[in-house]
Amino acid sequence: MSAIQKVNLLGLSPEKLIEFFESIGEKKFRATQVMKWIHQKGAESFEEMTDVSKKLRAKLEGICEIRAPEIVEQNISTDGTRKWIIRTEGGKNDCVETVLIPDGDRATLCVSSQVGCSLDCSFCSTGKQGFNRNLTPAEIIGQVWIAIKSFGPMDPNGPRRVTNVVMMGMGEPLMNFEPVVDAMILMMHDNAYGLSKRRVTLSTSGVVPKIYELVKRTDVSLAISLHAPNNPLRDELVPINRKYPIEELLEACQHYLDNLPDKRHITIEYTMMAGVNDQETHARELVGLLKNLECKVNLIPFNPFPHSGYEKPSNNQTRRFQKILADEGYTVTVRTTRGEDIDAACGQLVGDFHDKTRRSQKYIELREVSDQS
Ligand code: SF4
């Protein structure tokens, strides 16, 4: 155990990294140099930073570190999907998942923001395990770092290993606001990962006040986990709706779009559960509900898990639902399956806290979301 708590530079936003260097009496450009070494070249030690003076390297060694979360397991699917179980700083059982889905010339990374979740959506096993802890910025951006490094040495001039990121893994990202914003800023920064703002998407269940804050801080793309076309049903499926009902949520979405510097749409995620929210009346309600919002709809047939209490709708029912929306001019995608072979392996590994159902859905859903870019 070291006598002093070293500062982990991996999770510092560009602004905070500059502040840190200034606080130790170093010039701003040193922060830029170090940021490039960490995020573009994947440096794990200060020794590797050959254009930084030996003296400064020794100084940094004494007071800071570059520490990514520990990889408990990495699995690669036959279809190229990669999945990691990552142990966070909270201890032995504080693990989250990160998944990378390659698709042609793009690869979308699904990033977690919390261990567990407090929002308790009725169809989500992460919600059932309750909230454990928020991830730090280093643990969030560390998932991107780990994914890129899994292909070998990082090369800023080489092919992009991660082209899209969706904050759609475990947890509600807007309930861990500052660390998530810091990490997303790094994802998009030219001296870090340089991803387009259209290719970084935050998915939320509807923490309305934070949507207003988000647009003041960043201009990533936004996805909403809607799952129901009316308040009584959404109150049941997504309990945060009792606090922030659909009308307030859609108003916040419109505000978000209106305050972006460019024209964008919202992605509406709709998990379909047989006999619950998959009827034609629900589709028609959804048509009316979304008529004024610039959006695309992503339908996700529910993937049942033991004791979930919900069933997957038939393909015919899903197609009927999709057609009603499409006939009204909506762009509607239905999820397809990826990475199922490693999904099973991972579920065994992380045992009871593993949100297998939601993950399976999200692996696919994120591909659809990433198509908006
Ligand atoms: S669906 Fe999202 S917000 Fe709802 S309980 Fe699961 S992780 Fe939390």
Side-chain angles (χ1 to χ4, degrees):
M1 189 102 149
S2 67
I4 57 157
Q5 180 77 40
K6 291 187 173 184
V7 177
N8 187 4
L9 300 190
L10 181 67
L12 294 191
S13 67
E15 207 177 299
K16 287 177 183 158
L17 197 61
I18 289 170
E19 273 170 29
F20 174 75
F21 272 78
E22 288 178 340
S23 76
I24 60 167
E26 298 294 336
K27 297 253 174 13
K28 225 167 135 169
F29 79 93
R30 294 292 183 199
T32 304
Q33 271 182 313
V34 169
M35 182 158 58
K36 286 183 175 174
W37 273 106
I38 296 174
H39 298 291
Q40 296 189 339
K41 297 178 194 160
E44 296 178 39
S45 72
F46 299 106
E47 234 179 276
E48 296 169 52
M49 303 182 182
T50 46
D51 57 357
V52 175
S53 72
K54 268 194 176 162
K55 197 173 153 211
L56 178 55
R57 279 188 265 159
K59 182 176 172 180
L60 293 175
E61 194 63 57
I63 53 175
C64 2
E65 60 184 349
I66 304 158
R67 185 163 37 87
E70 180 194 345
I71 301 171
V72 177
E73 181 90 12
Q74 170 179 291
N75 291 295
I76 302 181
S77 161
T78 48
D79 68 12
T81 301
R82 292 176 181 223
K83 182 159 86 165
W84 297 266
I85 305 293
I86 287 170
R87 183 172 292 136
T88 63
E89 286 173 17
K92 190 155 110 321
N93 297 320
D94 270 3
C95 294
V96 293
E97 287 184 15
T98 307
V99 183
L100 181 69
I101 301 183
D103 186 16
D105 60 355
R106 73 176 60 201
T108 301
L109 188 69
C110 179
V111 169
S112 294
S113 57
Q114 297 182 308
V115 184
C117 182
S118 62
L119 297 192
D120 199 22
C121 299
S122 65
F123 55 91
C124 171
S125 59
T126 294
K128 293 194 193 328
Q129 65 173 275
F131 172 69
N132 192 336
R133 59 181 282 269
N134 282 326
L135 298 191
T136 64
E139 289 166 342
I140 299 169
I141 201 68
Q143 297 171 60
V144 181
W145 193 81
I146 284 170
I148 297 175
K149 277 180 84 84
S150 73
F151 289 91
M154 276 195 202
D155 175 5
N157 302 314
R160 272 192 190 279
R161 302 303 193 186
V162 172
T163 59
N164 298 54
V165 173
V166 286
M167 295 301 309
M168 203 183 270
M170 286 178 91
E172 163 53 62
L174 291 183
M175 297 295 272
N176 185 18
F177 191 80
E178 288 299 332
V180 164
V181 167
D182 278 358
M184 291 191 307
I185 288 172
L186 275 171
M187 290 170 200
M188 296 183 289
H189 199 279
D190 284 347
N191 294 327
Y193 300 92
L195 294 175
S196 150
K197 59 195 175 186
R198 289 173 169 266
R199 291 174 174 242
V200 176
T201 302
L202 182 142
S203 170
T204 178
S205 292
V207 190
V208 165
K210 296 289 181 191
I211 295 176
Y212 288 94
E213 268 187 60
L214 187 67
V215 78
K216 291 184 198 155
R217 300 285 300 281
T218 178
D219 55 358
V220 295
S221 295
L222 191 63
I224 300 292
S225 297
L226 190 67
H227 310 310
N230 60 58
N231 282 319
L233 185 53
R234 194 163 194 267
D235 283 352
E236 192 187 308
L237 301 179
V238 187
I240 197 174
N241 195 71
R242 295 174 202 156
K243 197 165 183 188
Y244 306 116
I246 291 177
E247 302 71 39
E248 289 182 27
L249 176 56
L250 295 183
E251 214 174 290
C253 288
Q254 191 57 57
H255 175 88
Y256 194 85
L257 290 180
D258 290 345
N259 284 276
L260 290 177
D262 56 343
K263 192 168 158 43
R264 225 97 58 85
H265 63 267
I266 304 280
T267 299
I268 299 292
E269 298 155 8
Y270 194 98
T271 299
M272 295 179 67
M273 289 159 266
V276 175
N277 64 351
D278 68 337
Q279 302 298 298
E280 292 171 31
T281 49
H282 296 124
R284 291 188 211 293
E285 249 186 301
L286 200 56
V287 165
L289 187 70
L290 301 175
K291 66 175 187 297
N292 295 322
L293 185 72
E294 203 59 53
C295 64
K296 287 186 183 173
V297 180
N298 185 29
L299 300 177
I300 308 143
F302 183 71
N303 187 14
F305 60 96
H307 314 298
S308 69
Y310 295 112
E311 296 295 330
K312 183 179 180 172
S314 68
N315 290 343
N316 279 346
Q317 190 60 23
T318 304
R319 271 196 292 271
R320 272 197 290 273
F321 198 99
Q322 180 184 27
K323 187 170 183 309
I324 291 170
L325 289 161
D327 285 350
E328 294 294 331
Y330 288 92
T331 302
V332 195
T333 49
V334 180
R335 73 138 203 215
T336 49
T337 303
R338 292 285 302 270
E340 281 196 319
D341 49 343
I342 59 171
D343 197 9
C346 236
Q348 287 160 8
L349 181 70
V350 292
D352 58 0
F353 84 23
H354 175 54
D355 179 6
K356 190 172 167 185
T357 296
R358 182 167 184 272
R359 297 286 82 71
S360 306
Q361 294 166 354
K362 295 296 183 184
Y363 298 159
I364 307 318
E365 186 181 354
L366 63 88
R367 191 180 66 156
E368 309 295 353
V369 168
S370 71
D371 285 345
Q372 70 188 302
S373 59

